[in-house]
């Protein structure tokens, strides 16, 4: 049956119509896709153009990083002893530059595990790490950073910390530039040395010392992991300040090290269990040479200016570490022994201790923080006190109980009648110290000061110097800056002058009263006295010096002539203008520094040569290359101060003092005869001295108050200063053979006494002032100071205060030898 044409055509037409509709939709979609692609391409092209323009503009402005190929960060000035022990450091940044080859693998592994585990495989920007960090942060997993080590180097070395698009662009560009110009090891080396890790430490070598007190090469896995946690937030993860947060991060880093295959599971487990010993507070193992270090700093700064603190200079000194520490302890012990005899001045502060235990603990911590320990003189807060017992608490809740003899220094503060400011009660901040029996005793920070200096008299090399009780408490260097009266310690220089005027050790001088009326003095009458107030009549010169007889010294100076004596003492390094040519010079009424005294006594010790104290032997740069090297000239006749026989006979006189004189304790305690020296006590015991030597080592001790006042009626150089000298020499001379100087030409021994050869048979001065007879050669009495109102009955003017530091530039700069 034939079909109906209309129906068939209609079906085809409908089918074409549907087909045409499908193609149109697809064409629309295609147009849309092409339009989007075109737009995307245009956008991409725009971005490329913009980035290209940005690169064209920014890249030329990137900093020059070529100097990083020879990386030289700011390195501090370091000061070392003769043996290479560090005794000082100066600079804003504490850093030890360590080549990558010397950085231990465990430290590198710990850093890479937490900071950039794919460091050696990416090109500077870790795109996989960026995605992982983004997903972790979005998923609120443990937060992860996206900066690679190279990016951190770019940021830390060259860029500011501001968070802007421009800075980020520069950071990325610098990262690519660094990766192009430097090797991976070079970049890691810079990072390991440059990064700030808190506690003034820059770089992991400095951090190892700052936090653990050890070199980086000795770090364990646990210690390396602790340090590796610091770059992210040096304050938040500081093991000293925030031990709990630091511990949590350390454990996480150990896990990361295991995940990355740097350590085994057993290693990780052992590291997590290791108990770390964090270095806190003051380092009790260091050498106490603060005054030396500061002197060196001044000298080097004068030479190099501000560069001294950034060039990484290493300064090596003549200081012997063992002798320096011995000197520090000996002087502090001497000062604290004196302090035990003083009246208790009361607690340093009183704090309210709440009833609530936690609040009380906080108040105690605050009080102890404001009153830190001073070496072995430690602070504590009293919890309870009565005349028989004190209970106090120290840092870390350490409980202290003081009873018996330990209470004796503060008995006045435990009395019921004690004034409120002195009375020891709950909340009082006091000082305590360990006794030799390992018990506690109460004490107090001293007000008195002291100085100690020792040098090799053969060449002037300073071997120990302690400028005061505590550098942090008082930075005034009493060795080089304090001008004080030397008292009887100055008499040997007057006696030395007398040997050139015909005096011999056997010359008889009358220890009889002297009186100078107003007509002679031009002021008030002057009647000098001996220390003990007694007069013993005629005696030989060597006995008079051993007993430190003032009347004999004055008569000797009368015979020599005050002007002649003033000229003579300059041979030993003393300033003439500080020793006016008056008879009071015989009693040490001038002004000297301890450094001058040890220099002067060295002339006797070395056979008559003038030496200049020196301190710096070598200065090297950061790589150890010597910049300055210094060696003193050997003594020769061009630097002779006095004749060899003068020095020899003076040593004979000074040896008698340490055997049977005012310093007889020296030979008795040290059990050796090659010791020479003189005690000194100024009027009213304002200053006490001991100056002495063994042929290889000269040392001087001074004690007194900065604002001059009496140390006490019974205090003397033999009682205060000599014990410090003995304690030092006991250690310093251990193993040193006994040596006495050989007699030089021109002296002869007669009857057990040494004389100049020309005076051995009766020549020279034989008697001075005997029985009130006229002085030898009719020498008139020299005019004492005109203003005799300044003189007191014992023959010395009041002590003058020490000069301010600015008045003593010469004495400091003289220590530096070019």
């Amino acid at each position: 049956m034939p079909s109906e044409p209309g129906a068939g055509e209609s079906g085809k037409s409908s089918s074409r119509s549907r087909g045409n509709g499908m193609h149109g939709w697809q064409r629309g979609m295609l147009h849309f896709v092409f339009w989007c692609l075109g737009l995307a391409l245009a956008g991409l092209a725009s971005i490329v153009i913009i980035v290209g323009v940005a690169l064209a503009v920014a890249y030329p402005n990137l900093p020059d990083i070529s100097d990083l190929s020879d990386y030289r960060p700011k390195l501090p000035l370091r000061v070392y002893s003769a043996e290479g022990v560090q005794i000082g450091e100066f600079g804003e940044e504490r850093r030890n530059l360590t080549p990558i080859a010397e950085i231990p693998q465990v430290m590198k592994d710990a850093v890479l595990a937490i900071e950039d585990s794919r460091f050696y495989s990416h090109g500077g920007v870790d795109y996989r790490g960026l995605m992982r960090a983004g997903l972790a942060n979005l998923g609120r997993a443990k937060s992860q950073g996206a900066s690679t080590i190279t990016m951190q180097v770019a940021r830390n070395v060259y860029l500011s910390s501001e968070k802007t698009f421009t800075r980020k662009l520069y950071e990325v560009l610098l990262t690519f530039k660094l990766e192009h110009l430097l090797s991976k090891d070079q970049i890691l080396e810079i990072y390991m040395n440059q990064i700030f890790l808190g506690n003034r430490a820059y770089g992991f070598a400095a951090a190892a010392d700052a936090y653990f007190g050890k070199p980086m090469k000795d770090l364990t896995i646990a210690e390396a992991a602790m340090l590796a946690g610091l770059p992210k937030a040096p304050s938040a993860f500081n093991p000293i300040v925030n031990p709990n947060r630091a511990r949590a991060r350390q454990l996480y880093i150990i896990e990361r090290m295991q995940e990355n295959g740097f350590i085994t599971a057993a290693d990780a487990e052992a590291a997590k269990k290791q108990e770390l010993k964090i270095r806190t507070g003051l380092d009790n193992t260091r050498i106490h040479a603060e005054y030396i270090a500061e002197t060196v700093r001044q000298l080097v700064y004068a030479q190099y200016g501000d560069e001294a603190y950034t060039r990484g200079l290493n300064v090596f000194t003549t200081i012997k570490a063992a002798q320096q520490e011995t000197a520090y302890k000996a002087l502090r012990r001497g000062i604290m022994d004196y302090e035990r005899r003083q009246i208790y001045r009361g607690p340093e502060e009183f704090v309210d201790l709440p009833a609530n235990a936690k609040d009380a603990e906080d108040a105690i911590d605050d009080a102890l923080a404001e009153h830190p320990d001073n070496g072995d003189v430690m602070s504590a807060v009293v919890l309870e006190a009565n005349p028989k017992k004190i209970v106090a608490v120290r840092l870390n809740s350490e409980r202290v109980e003081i009873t018996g003899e330990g209470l004796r220094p503060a008995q006045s503060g435990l009395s019921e009648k004690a004034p409120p400011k002195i009375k020891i009660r709950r909340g009082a901040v006091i000082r305590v110290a360990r006794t030799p029996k390992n018990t506690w005793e109460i004490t107090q920070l001293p007000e008195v000061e002291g100085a100690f200096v020792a040098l090799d008299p053969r060449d002037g090399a300073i071997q120990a110097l302690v400028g005061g009780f505590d550098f942090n408490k008082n930075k005034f260097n009493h060795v080089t800056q304090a001008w004080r009266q030397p008292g009887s310690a100055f008499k040997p220089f007057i006696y030395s002058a007398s040997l050139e005027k015909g005096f011999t050790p056997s010359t008889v001088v009358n220890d009889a009263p002297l009186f100078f009326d107003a007509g002679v003095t031009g002021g008030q009458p002057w009647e000098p006295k001996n220390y003990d107030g007694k007069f013993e009549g005629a005696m030989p010169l060597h006995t008079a010096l051993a007993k430190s007889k003032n009347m004999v010294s004055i008569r000797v100076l009368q015979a020599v002539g005050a002007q002649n004596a003033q000229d003579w003492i300059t041979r030993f390094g003393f300033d003439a203008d500080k020793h006016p040519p008056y008879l009071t010079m015989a009693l040490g009424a001038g002004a000297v520094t301890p450094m001058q005294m040890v220099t002067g006594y060295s002339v006797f010790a070395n056979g008559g040569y003038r030496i200049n104290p020196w301190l710096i032997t070598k200065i090297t740069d950061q790589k150890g290359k010597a910049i300055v090297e210094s060696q003193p000239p050997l003594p020769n006749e061009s630097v002779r101060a006095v004749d060899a026989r003068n020095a020899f006979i003076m040593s004979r006189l000074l040896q008698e003092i340490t055997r049977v004189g005012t310093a007889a304790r020296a030979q008795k305690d040290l059990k050796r005869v090659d010791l020479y020296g003189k005690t000194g006590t100024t009027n009213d015991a304002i200053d006490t001295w001991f100056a002495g030597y063994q042929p290889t080592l000269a040392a001087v001790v001074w004690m007194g108050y900065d604002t001059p006042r009496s140390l006490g009626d019974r205090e003397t150089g033999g009682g205060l200063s000599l014990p410090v000298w003995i304690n030092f020499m006991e250690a310093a001379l251990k193993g040193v053979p006994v040596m006495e100087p050989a007699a030089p030409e021109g002296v002869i021994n007669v009857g057990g006494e040494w004389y100049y050869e020309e005076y051995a048979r009766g020549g020279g001065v034989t008697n001075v002032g005997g029985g009130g007879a006229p002085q030898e050669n009719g020498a008139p009495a020299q005019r004492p100071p005109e203003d005799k109102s300044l003189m007191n009955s014992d023959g010395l003017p009041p002590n003058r205060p020490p000069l301010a530091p600015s008045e003593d530039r010469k004495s400091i700069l003289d220590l530096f030898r070019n």
Side-chain angles (χ1 to χ4, degrees), residues 5 72 119 134 143 175 212 267 271 293 469 485 490 504 551-552 555 574 586 615 671 678 766:
R72 294 183 182 182
F119 172 71
S143 177
T175 296
F212 298 113
D267 292 334
F469 179 78
Q485 288 185 342
F490 198 72
T504 72
M551 301 307 102
V552 173
R555 284 190 163 94
F574 298 109
L615 181 60
K671 295 178 174 54
K678 180 73 181 75
T766 58

Side-chain angles (χ1 to χ4, degrees), residues 240-259:
I240 298 174
V241 180
N242 293 306
N244 293 334
R245 295 185 67 180
R247 170 66 172 163
R249 184 155 177 81
Q250 176 213 28
L251 294 176
Y252 174 64
I253 292 173
I254 293 173
E255 292 173 0
R256 291 282 297 160
M257 293 177 73
Q258 182 184 349
E259 290 172 8

Side-chain angles (χ1 to χ4, degrees), residues 267-282:
D267 292 334
E269 192 63 27
K272 290 177 181 179
K273 292 180 179 179
Q274 183 185 344
E275 183 178 345
L276 301 186
K277 295 181 179 179
I278 305 297
R279 189 180 188 179
T280 59
L282 294 176

Side-chain angles (χ1 to χ4, degrees), residues 789-805:
S789 63
L790 295 178
M791 305 295 290
N792 55 44
S793 60
D794 283 344
L796 288 179
N799 204 343
R800 57 166 292 177
L803 295 181

Side-chain angles (χ1 to χ4, degrees), residues 3-19:
S3 61
E4 297 180 8
E9 289 176 5
S10 176
K12 291 181 181 179
S13 175
S14 177
S15 177
R16 282 196 301 268
S17 175
R18 285 196 302 268

Side-chain angles (χ1 to χ4, degrees), residues 545-548 653-680 689-691 716-719 721-723 725-726:
L545 185 59
K547 293 186 174 183
S548 199
L653 298 178
L654 294 172
Q655 187 179 37
E656 182 171 341
I657 295 173
T658 65
R659 187 175 73 252
V660 297
T662 57
R665 181 180 167 186
Q667 289 195 31
K668 178 183 177 182
D669 289 2
L670 296 176
K671 295 178 174 54
R672 55 191 302 154
V673 297
D674 56 341
L675 304 174
Y676 315 80
K678 180 73 181 75
T679 56
W689 296 80
F690 185 76
T716 64
S721 298
L722 176 60
W725 190 89
I726 291 174

Side-chain angles (χ1 to χ4, degrees), residues 103-415:
I103 298 175
Q105 191 63 43
V106 66
M107 191 69 253
K108 290 187 282 190
D109 289 344
V111 169
L112 293 175
I114 189 64
E115 293 294 330
D116 192 354
S117 60
R118 298 185 62 252
F119 172 71
Y120 281 98
S121 59
H122 63 63
V125 177
D126 186 4
Y127 303 103
R128 192 192 305 175
L130 281 170
M131 293 178 63
R132 184 184 65 249
L135 292 173
N137 295 337
L138 286 173
R140 296 188 178 181
K142 185 176 286 289
S143 177
Q144 298 182 11
S147 291
T148 64
I149 283 177
T150 312
M151 294 170 73
Q152 292 184 58
V153 169
R155 180 167 62 243
N156 292 327
V157 175
Y158 289 109
L159 302 175
S160 68
S161 59
E162 63 177 347
K163 295 182 179 180
T164 65
F165 175 79
T166 302
R167 191 203 65 85
K168 195 65 179 177
L169 174 63
Y170 274 96
E171 181 181 315
V172 173
L173 294 178
L174 270 176
T175 296
F176 290 134
K177 193 171 184 179
L178 285 169
E179 289 279 345
H180 176 69
L181 293 178
L182 303 178
S183 69
K184 286 289 188 179
D185 278 350
Q186 285 178 305
I187 294 171
L188 186 59
E189 177 181 305
I190 295 169
Y191 178 83
M192 300 289 282
N193 284 283
Q194 180 72 22
I195 194 74
F196 176 62
L197 300 170
N199 220 22
R200 281 186 55 236
Y202 287 78
F204 288 93
D209 179 64
Y211 292 104
F212 298 113
K214 60 167 59 177
M216 183 167 52
K217 65 183 178 63
D218 295 334
L219 291 175
T220 64
I221 294 173
E223 290 166 340
M226 181 67 77
L227 296 183
L230 291 167
K232 182 177 181 181
S235 177
F237 297 115
N238 186 316
I240 298 174
V241 180
N242 293 306
N244 293 334
R245 295 185 67 180
R247 170 66 172 163
R249 184 155 177 81
Q250 176 213 28
L251 294 176
Y252 174 64
I253 292 173
I254 293 173
E255 292 173 0
R256 291 282 297 160
M257 293 177 73
Q258 182 184 349
E259 290 172 8
N260 283 279
F262 295 138
I263 58 175
T264 65
D267 292 334
E269 192 63 27
K272 290 177 181 179
K273 292 180 179 179
Q274 183 185 344
E275 183 178 345
L276 301 186
K277 295 181 179 179
I278 305 297
R279 189 180 188 179
T280 59
L282 294 176
D283 180 13
N284 294 323
T285 64
R286 67 189 173 91
I287 301 299
H288 292 276
E290 296 87 349
Y291 290 96
I292 284 288
E294 172 59 18
T295 300
V296 170
R297 184 197 68 78
Q298 293 182 27
L299 298 174
V300 176
Y301 182 81
Q303 189 85 2
Y304 297 100
D306 291 336
E307 283 191 351
Y309 307 132
T310 60
R311 288 182 57 178
L313 298 177
N314 300 300
V315 183
F316 294 86
T317 67
T318 57
I319 294 296
K320 292 189 175 180
Q323 291 191 11
Q324 176 64 29
E325 193 63 13
T326 298
Y328 172 81
K329 291 178 178 177
L331 182 62
R332 282 179 67 97
R333 176 180 171 183
I335 289 176
M336 292 309 297
D337 285 346
Y338 168 79
E339 194 58 46
R340 289 186 184 92
R341 302 193 290 272
Q342 306 313 300
I343 296 173
Y344 187 63
R345 295 183 292 274
E348 296 178 16
E349 186 185 1
F350 295 95
V351 296
D352 292 328
L353 298 182
N356 180 278
K358 181 64 172 67
D359 293 340
E361 185 178 330
D362 291 341
I364 290 171
D365 288 344
D366 291 342
L368 295 178
E370 292 178 6
H371 298 269
D373 291 347
N374 187 305
D376 52 1
V377 183
M378 297 168 276
S379 58
V381 176
V382 175
L383 299 179
E384 58 180 271
N386 60 59
K388 294 186 177 181
K389 184 172 73 170
I390 293 176
V391 178
V393 63
R394 284 197 10 83
L395 288 170
N396 301 320
S397 302
E398 180 185 5
R399 193 177 178 87
V400 173
E401 288 193 10
I402 309 172
T403 58
E405 287 297 311
L407 298 172
R408 185 180 295 276
Q411 281 296 326
S412 60
L414 294 169
S415 170

